[in-house]
Amino acid sequence: MVERPTDEEFMRLALGLARRGLGFVSPNPMVGAVIVRDGRIIARGYHHYFGGDHAEVDALKHATEDVRGATLYVTLEPCRHWGKTPPCTDAIIRSNIARVVVGMLDPFPQMQGRSIELLNRAGIATTVGVLEEACRTLNEPYLKWVTTGIPYVTVKWAQTLDGKIALASGVSRWISSPPSLRLAHRLRATHDAVLVGIGTVLADDPQLTVRLVKGRNPVRIVLDSHLRIPPTARVLADQDKARTIVVTTPSAPPERISVLVERGVEVLTVPAERPGRVDLGALLKTLGARQISSVLVEGGAGIITSFLGLADRTIAIIAPKLVGRGKDVAGVLEVDNLDRATGLTFRRVYRSGDDVVLEAGRRI
């Protein structure tokens, strides 16, 4: 006798569909949906892009037969309010779906289980919490942003096996392998913004765009307290393809602000934590208010050090190279006792070309 697939197996399929929206749906969450009748999948759907149909509606539109009496599997609680699209709960109720299986509740203030109540009142059976941990992991950036108003922060760097991000001369191209360079561009494509410090701009003149993989360009953010950025910097070019925000402090020279504004570049002034240093906490709150839900931090040791205490995830690309004297990954973190060290959990360890990639983070 052949056993029917379980709720977990169908939810796994929905999770796979949801991942197809990575890099396209933010600040919305990634969501996948599967509709099943008598153990047969009769529809698949996912949220393709921000402003497009949600996963449940996408699945209903692509059903190969009448969904009356079927079961809907969806990775996140269906929405019950108007946004860019109508409420998904209304569409589900109209379809006469008999049962809805939900991976996790949506912490969005207008949700938090209210859709489940609506579905139950309409006579639709519900099950909540199937593969909940996997559903949470899928949408960690969304979960942090929607509950705190602060973007999810990933700090990424490439280093040698002996912990150097550059030679003593400052040369760092290229520590990692070509596949790892593509990984770096894929990370840019899947974050709302990429952030570097002025030191990286002056030393490397990066474009900070997505070129080695397919995907959208993130918002480019440069921290520059004294506006030392040259007007010819490549990160200021092509504002029609990739927007740039130069972040500075109230002490920045007004005439330099004018030069950037004339180039079509936004200059964002935030408080200084101390002279010559942007208040990163205030900056992240401002970015979150602009619907930037995830930030990828690249750059040198200064920026890495500044953001390590704020990082939700760190990605270390470790090349099998030894250089001896060079520039360390991080500077002083003021840790005088190991009990005060920032504790993370390894999430993934994998190969990228000749390199090893270590991903660590903390639970959201």
Side-chain angles (χ1 to χ4, degrees), residues 295-315:
V295 176
L296 173 66
V297 177
E298 300 183 2
I303 289 294
I304 292 172
T305 303
S306 298
F307 272 96
L308 281 180
L310 300 169
D312 300 292
R313 177 174 61 160
T314 60
I315 299 178

Side-chain angles (χ1 to χ4, degrees), residues 75-254:
T75 55
L76 186 70
E77 176 185 1
C79 68
R80 58 175 288 274
H81 58 283
W82 279 84
K84 288 187 174 292
T85 59
C88 291
T89 49
D90 291 356
I92 293 168
I93 292 169
R94 286 196 304 269
S95 73
N96 291 308
I97 287 278
R99 179 179 178 234
V100 176
V101 180
V102 176
M104 64 169 290
L105 297 180
D106 189 340
F108 189 75
Q110 296 182 35
M111 301 291 294
Q112 301 178 352
R114 293 181 178 89
S115 293
I116 306 304
E117 297 171 6
L118 285 175
L119 294 173
N120 289 339
R121 285 205 297 269
I124 298 174
T126 57
T127 301
V128 179
V130 176
L131 296 187
E132 181 174 3
E133 192 61 32
C135 292
R136 289 189 63 86
T137 299
L138 173 72
N139 277 312
E140 282 186 324
Y142 168 76
L143 296 177
K144 182 188 178 185
W145 175 69
V146 82
T147 55
T148 67
I150 296 172
Y152 184 89
V153 176
T154 299
V155 179
K156 184 273 300 178
W157 67 86
Q159 66 172 71
T160 61
L161 189 58
D162 52 348
K164 308 302 179 183
I165 61 172
L167 302 178
S169 64
V171 173
S172 61
R173 293 185 177 181
W174 294 104
I175 285 177
S176 57
S177 63
S180 294
L181 292 177
R182 288 193 294 274
L183 170 61
H185 280 246
R186 190 157 57 248
L187 287 169
R188 289 178 185 174
T190 55
H191 283 75
D192 292 342
V194 58
L195 182 151
V196 299
I198 183 59
T200 294
V201 173
L202 295 176
D204 299 333
D205 195 21
Q207 291 176 259
L208 300 182
T209 52
V210 175
R211 301 182 302 283
L212 301 183
V213 299
K214 291 183 179 180
R216 65 176 183 177
N217 286 320
V219 176
R220 302 176 290 186
I221 301 174
V222 179
L223 303 190
D224 187 4
S225 299
H226 303 295
L227 290 187
R228 294 185 292 151
I229 189 167
T232 56
R234 293 197 296 173
V235 74
L236 301 181
D238 300 321
Q239 290 297 302
D240 56 328
K241 298 177 182 177
R243 187 161 58 96
T244 301
I245 301 174
V246 177
V247 181
T248 192
T249 61
S251 61

Side-chain angles (χ1 to χ4, degrees), residues 232-275:
T232 56
R234 293 197 296 173
V235 74
L236 301 181
D238 300 321
Q239 290 297 302
D240 56 328
K241 298 177 182 177
R243 187 161 58 96
T244 301
I245 301 174
V246 177
V247 181
T248 192
T249 61
S251 61
E255 64 276 11
R256 295 184 184 176
I257 293 177
S258 298
V259 170
L260 293 174
V261 171
E262 288 173 3
R263 289 284 309 273
V265 176
E266 179 181 1
V267 178
L268 176 62
T269 301
V270 299
E273 183 181 30
R274 59 175 184 259

